[in-house]
Amino acid sequence: INGKPLVYLDNGATAQKPRAVIDTLSRFFEQENANIHRGVHYLSMNATDAYDRARERIAAAIGAPQVKEVIFTRGTTEAINLVAHGLAETHFSKGDEIVLTLMEHHANFVPWQILEEKIGVVLKFAPVLENGELDLEAWKGLFSGKTKLATFTHVSNALGTVNPVQEMTKFAKETSEALVLVDGAQAVPHGDVDIAGIGCDFYMFSGHKVYGPDGIGILWGKEEILEGFPPYQSGGDMIERVSVSGTTFRGIPERFEAGTPNISGAIGLAAAFDYIENELGGWESAEAHEQDVVAFATERLLEIPGLQIRGTAPGKIGVISFTMDSAHPHDIGTILDSEGVAIRAGHHCAQPLMEHFGITGTARASFAFYNTKADADALVTAIEKVHRFFG
């Protein structure tokens, strides 16, 4: 990039893909491509088996109690919207309350604001402490007899803060009749997630952040809740029977997978989980390496005058979000790009959080298992150039 070796530190936006995932996709398109659940010929049956096995593989990887509770979506955003649509039809009435946090991604803000306008639900937001931790006591104080949903991110995409989701879920269940939705988009790429252990009602994530293809994601939800939802979209494969007198619908997961699904995406996402387990040896060693690199980068960055790291919670994943006294985040990102270092600059689809901190945005370096201390050195060297130029 600009004559420099690429240092890719925008993994929070999307991760690069292992050769094993790319080869799986190539093999499918070259040798195995067919539609599923419709044909009796070999290719169709083979593709159907691969798609169904992918669901089983992903369910096992995330600790889903039942395979059929795993719904394939386009990503986290569609998954949250699907749940919001279902709850709007079956769960919410005017005056019901939803408890959120100020660190949510827009995807976990806007659908509920739309329901606020349409139904009259009441949104209540928990603040964030100066170090980027959720103000847990303030969050607990928002619950009341009217609370019908608690929804929160597992890991902040803008700060890297890891929320105590098991504790939060337990509190919500013990003190109210609220359902619990957890946005796991930034959590699944950084360690084992045990949905059954969390105890929530809904959990979702995106494949492209966990080293899989884009356009594929997962919604996990409890069977008894999902079976009560009306269809989110209608069309082929989600119907039981169609006649001129009416239509009946299939149960989960097919009810929420209308039309030809992202077959290759599902198979590629399963391959990403296979890669993590078989070639990386699981999440533990990969995450330990990542944390070592992030700690090294953090120590060096703090030596740069005028640089402030936003989000210093004791528990966080490989995200370093920062501002500089002398330079706007977009200027930082542009100069770093000229040095071959790819980061993200802006509000990170978390504008309420930025407003809470009184800033317009940050520069964000987000790490993955394939990043090294040499990458961290390149980041620091490039930021030192920013400091010299603007300081």
Side-chain angles (χ1 to χ4, degrees), residues 84 87-88 92 98 110-121:
L87 293 180
F92 289 131
I98 302 176
V110 180
W112 313 115
Q113 289 178 320
I114 291 174
L115 295 193
E116 183 180 35
E117 295 178 3
K118 285 187 174 181
I119 300 176
V121 296

Side-chain angles (χ1 to χ4, degrees), residues 160-240:
T161 303
V162 180
N163 283 322
V165 292
Q166 188 169 357
E167 177 188 349
M168 293 169 72
T169 299
K170 182 180 179 183
F171 177 87
K173 295 293 184 183
E174 290 178 348
T175 59
S176 72
E177 297 180 356
L179 298 176
V180 175
L181 181 153
V182 181
D183 171 2
Q186 296 291 338
V188 177
H190 295 279
D192 286 323
V193 169
D194 178 15
I195 287 174
I198 294 171
C200 57
D201 299 292
F202 307 101
Y203 195 98
M204 54 278 295
F205 66 94
S206 300
H208 69 96
K209 296 181 190 295
V210 69
Y211 313 108
D214 50 20
I216 190 74
I218 296 297
L219 162 63
W220 172 85
K222 289 183 177 178
E223 177 187 10
E224 61 269 25
I225 302 174
L226 291 177
E227 288 287 10
F229 281 5
Y232 180 59
Q233 295 178 325
S234 57
D237 223 31
M238 51 78 68
I239 58 94
E240 187 176 64

Side-chain angles (χ1 to χ4, degrees), residues 16-30 211-213 268 271-272 275:
Q16 299 300 326
K17 317 308 173 192
R19 172 61 61 187
V21 171
I22 297 170
D23 287 347
T24 295
L25 293 173
S26 295
R27 182 173 62 251
F28 176 79
F29 287 127
E30 290 175 354
Y211 313 108
Y275 173 84

Side-chain angles (χ1 to χ4, degrees), residues 113-172:
Q113 289 178 320
I114 291 174
L115 295 193
E116 183 180 35
E117 295 178 3
K118 285 187 174 181
I119 300 176
V121 296
V122 178
L123 307 186
K124 302 168 79 172
F125 299 94
V128 177
L129 301 175
E130 188 62 29
N131 69 348
E133 282 185 278
L134 176 65
D135 188 334
L136 197 56
E137 292 307 308
W139 178 81
K140 291 178 179 179
L142 296 178
F143 284 78
S144 73
K146 294 183 178 181
T147 306
K148 288 295 186 72
L149 176 70
T151 178
F152 43 86
T153 186
H154 194 158
V155 173
S156 166
N157 72 303
L159 303 173
T161 303
V162 180
N163 283 322
V165 292
Q166 188 169 357
E167 177 188 349
M168 293 169 72
T169 299
K170 182 180 179 183
F171 177 87

